[in-house]
Amino acid sequence: MTQQPRHVAVIGHGMVGARFVEEVARRDPDGRRVRLTVVGAEAERPYNRILLPEVVTGRLDLDDLALPEADSAAVTVRRGVAATAVDPAARRVALDDGTGLDYDELVLATGARAAFPPVAGLSEDDGAPAPGVTALRGVEDCRRLMSLVRPGAPAVVLGGGVLGLEAARALSEGGVRVSVVESSPWLMRRQIDQAAASILSERLTAIGIAVHSWRVAARWLPGTGLELDDGRVLAGDALIVTAGVRARTELAAGAGLAVEHGVVVDDALTTADPRIHAIGDCAQHARGGAGLVQPGWEQAAVLADLLTGTAPGARYRGVRPVTRLKAEGIELASLGDADADGTAETVTVSDPHGGRYAKLSVRGDRVVGAILLGFPDSAATIAQLYDQDAPVPSDRLALLLGAARPEPRIADQAGPALVCRCNGVSREQLEEAWLDGARTRQTLAEQTRATTGCGGCVRDVNALLAGWNNERPAPAR
Ligand SMILES: Cc1cc2nc3c(=O)[nH]c(=O)nc-3n(C[C@H](O)[C@H](O)[C@H](O)COP(=O)(O)OP(=O)(O)OC[C@H]3O[C@@H](n4cnc5c(N)ncnc54)[C@H](O)[C@@H]3O)c2cc1C
């Protein structure tokens, strides 16, 4: 078999493009099979954009967000360069610096951009955000946001989904007086039901965030605030637009590939052109994944298996969605479909006074969905059951209230429980790394990648570490 490496071009050096490069380098460290060229429109080295709200709170610096990069002579990275067109017949990509890139295989990892709703005054004629307006998708947005807000001054967040609420909470932690406007009847409508959202709204109000659900924004008035459809004006020096994202599909559409809301791919992450692949937020797979990093990283690993020839049978099978709101003081997790088209058995606990709500939907003794507000321990247990498609204990109420531990396999310290969903790291793998000498969160992260995704498992990893470091003698090896 010929040893000439094939040339794989990657467009987009964001969270998923960078992971793909890393996965290829792990499988083919000397570049014997694959030579990679990555072009990324952003000037920065790849970073974890999920943690941008942590920069807004001041807990992290932008430098802390850097993602690992493959150190391989077989990888060429071109930062600050954008692809402008793909010619599938010539197998060539045109770049905005006037050069071009020939490929054997092409990977689109162009992600998504913030969607701006059609509200008067949000954008300039050239499409740039109007004065006082920003999205929160990239480093530049984050810098702009921080230049617009000040402690004690008002700001408005347009969009009460997960990102909007995380941004609102981050700003309120810094003393900004925040209002959230959501055009749907309730907050986080894609993840939680109305009863949970009503309790969530009360919790937000209690920490100083004003919530305006089912209110349509009419006009942004720079220097004044956001006018609503009922004529009220919410004061705001800044408007943070978190009203959803749109997959970047222009290159694929221009190349004649099938595009719906994303670039359509099959289980091998291949588009309508067998030499062009798409992964991450720009891709549309029949069983979902766009909008979350874990499925994108899984896609990156599958495609690396395929393009390096490491596992020609590798396939992406879709996602079991779990969403955690990362907002200081609010523990909210949502998984699967808690309403489950009315065919599931459902147990609900509503405690508005305590600011808590829990709903568990089970079909054939398997979790099909759950909403858990203020129940962090049962959220962790139920997420494990869901991940492993394991049977739920017969006392569902006890499970919801955190009083029931399911079968020992889950609770067992040596069991296979998944701790870091983003990177698929189990408790067992963490323990192995600990036994091999990783005694801090940072060294565990370096060895296993745990905690380097959404950060939702930091608490669990810290707890495991504290237990191991305090309770066990140092291992002999
Ligand atoms: C604030 C925030 C919080 C989030 N929280 C979570 C969370 O808690 N959990 C979760 O799972 N997900 C979360 N997400 C979503 C997560 O960040 C995305 O799913 C992930 O970044 C997708 O990675 P990607 O590489 O597909 O896209 P991106 O990270 O957007 O990267 C795409 C890259 O491609 C580049 N690009 C685009 N077009 C071109 C071109 N023509 N030429 C060259 N380069 C190009 C872009 O500049 C960009 O750098 C969050 C996102 C944000 C912004």
Side-chain angles (χ1 to χ4, degrees), residues 9 11 39 78 81-88 90-103 106 251:
I11 305 181
V39 294
R78 297 179 64 182
V81 178
T84 52
V86 175
D87 179 346
R91 274 198 252 141
R92 190 170 171 79
V93 179
L95 304 176
D96 67 355
D97 63 1
T99 65
L101 199 58
D102 295 321
Y103 63 83
L106 178 66
L251 291 173

Side-chain angles (χ1 to χ4, degrees), residues 12 14-16 41-42 49 82-83 110-111 137 163 281 292-293 326:
M15 292 191 74
V16 173
E42 291 182 277
R49 67 184 77 242
T110 48
R137 178 77 195 179
L163 175 56
D281 277 4
L292 292 172
V293 78
K326 299 181 302 303

Side-chain angles (χ1 to χ4, degrees), residues 21 30 66 76 98 101 135-136 140 149 193 205 212 217 220 228 231 253 263 318 369 371 377 403 461-462:
V21 174
D30 305 324
T76 305
L101 199 58
L136 182 55
E140 285 311 320
V149 294
D193 61 15
T205 306
H212 304 270
W220 170 244
L228 303 180
V263 185
I371 299 166
D377 292 339
V461 171
N462 283 343

